[in-house]
Amino acid sequence: GAVVSQHPSRVICKSGTSVKIECRSLDFQATTMFWYRQFPKQSLMLMATSNEGSKATYEQGVEKDKFLINHASLTLSTLTVTSAHPEDSSFYICSARDLGQGREAFFGQGTRLTVV
Amino acid sequence: QQQVKQSPQSLIVQKGGISIINCAYENTAFDYFPWYQQFPGKGPALLIAIRPDVSEKKEGRFTISFNKSAKQFSLHIMDSQPGDSATYFCAASTGGGFKTIFGAGTRLFVKA
């Protein structure tokens, strides 16, 4: 299957700073990427959908100014958590679709964000 | 968000037994139903998926049963092994935006 690489896998940052998480499709072109947030022992909650070259579409209740998403190329999307606070601590996961692979979405390995 | 309801929340099965996880949905626009396996600290990995025009799909020890009229689908893991211990998520997506909506997850523990 196609490979999606997410970086970093873990990050600790101070409250008030910003953190950028990268999601790369390594061997396919991802026209659409999705960002999820997962709290411990809970399900994945879709935060936003990003299409290459256009603005991301955010799910209801997700602050677009807080979680900045950029999808500047067919292989890279970034999520920036701005002015992070301890309540932003979570597991963030991206996924990407390859039109040539049909409906399957491939997931990154996730990023554990801890805000102290 | 459109919901996908998953049960049970947790499941303990003896090695060699059958693990069964059930999901139900309401939105008839869903047309793709994948199951994902997630280990702690890792992203989900696709196990098997089905479309609503098929009532059953089998891949190795994993089988999806799909009941379109009841809007329910289930995952059966035959000959369950300790290595199958993980969290399993059912999901559903629609055409167009292809957003994937996840169920709440089932934590499976297979006893050796």
Side-chain angles (χ1 to χ4, degrees):
Chain A
V3 178
V4 174
S5 177
Q6 195 171 332
H7 178 81
S9 58
R10 290 176 179 270
V11 59
I12 301 173
C13 71
K14 292 185 177 180
S15 185
T17 62
S18 295
V19 174
K20 180 183 285 189
I21 302 169
E22 291 187 350
C23 180
R24 294 181 182 273
S25 56
L26 297 187
D27 51 2
F28 67 97
Q29 293 186 330
T31 54
T32 305
M33 287 188 172
F34 305 89
W35 287 94
Y36 293 84
R37 182 174 183 177
Q38 186 177 33
F39 290 104
K41 299 182 182 181
Q42 293 191 24
S43 187
L44 286 77
M45 298 300 298
L46 181 64
M47 298 175 66
T49 302
S50 73
N51 292 296
E52 185 263 338
S54 61
K55 290 184 178 180
T57 301
Y58 291 81
E59 295 299 305
Q60 191 174 8
V62 177
E63 299 176 62
K64 60 180 67 176
D65 294 331
K66 174 76 168 174
F67 299 100
L68 300 180
I69 292 171
N70 183 279
H71 191 165
S73 77
L74 285 172
T75 59
L76 174 64
S77 177
T78 60
L79 167 67
T80 301
V81 183
T82 63
S83 186
H85 287 88
E87 57 266 30
D88 299 324
S89 298
S90 190
F91 194 53
Y92 293 89
I93 309 171
C94 70
S95 73
R97 284 195 63 247
D98 176 1
L99 290 178
Q101 293 285 334
R103 296 294 299 274
E104 182 178 352
F106 299 94
F107 284 80
Q109 64 268 46
T111 297
R112 172 73 60 195
L113 170 63
T114 303
V115 184
V116 297
Chain B
Q1 287 189 2
Q2 305 138 342
Q3 283 192 321
V4 178
K5 296 183 179 180
Q6 182 173 348
S7 63
Q9 187 176 23
S10 62
L11 182 61
I12 300 174
V13 174
Q14 287 289 138
K15 178 182 176 182
I18 302 174
S19 303
I20 302 175
I21 304 171
N22 301 299
C23 283
Y25 64 98
E26 293 188 359
N27 186 353
T28 55
F30 287 140
D31 62 356
Y32 179 71
F33 301 89
W35 283 88
Y36 289 90
Q37 178 188 59
Q38 186 180 32
F39 292 103
K42 303 294 183 184
L46 179 70
L47 266 180
I48 186 172
I50 198 168
R51 295 183 183 274
D53 55 346
V54 176
S55 61
E56 185 175 282
K57 184 175 181 179
K58 182 176 181 179
E59 289 184 2
R61 296 186 294 112
F62 301 94
T63 300
I64 298 179
S65 297
F66 190 87
N67 186 329
K68 186 175 181 178
S69 61
K71 291 186 283 187
Q72 295 175 346
F73 58 110
S74 61
L75 175 69
H76 291 61
I77 305 175
M78 312 299 287
D79 188 26
S80 298
Q81 299 297 312
D84 296 330
S85 298
T87 300
Y88 293 81
F89 293 97
C90 63
S93 69
T94 61
F98 298 112
K99 290 193 300 185
T100 302
I101 306 300
F102 283 79
T106 296
R107 299 184 75 191
L108 171 65
F109 179 68
V110 181
K111 296 170 68 174

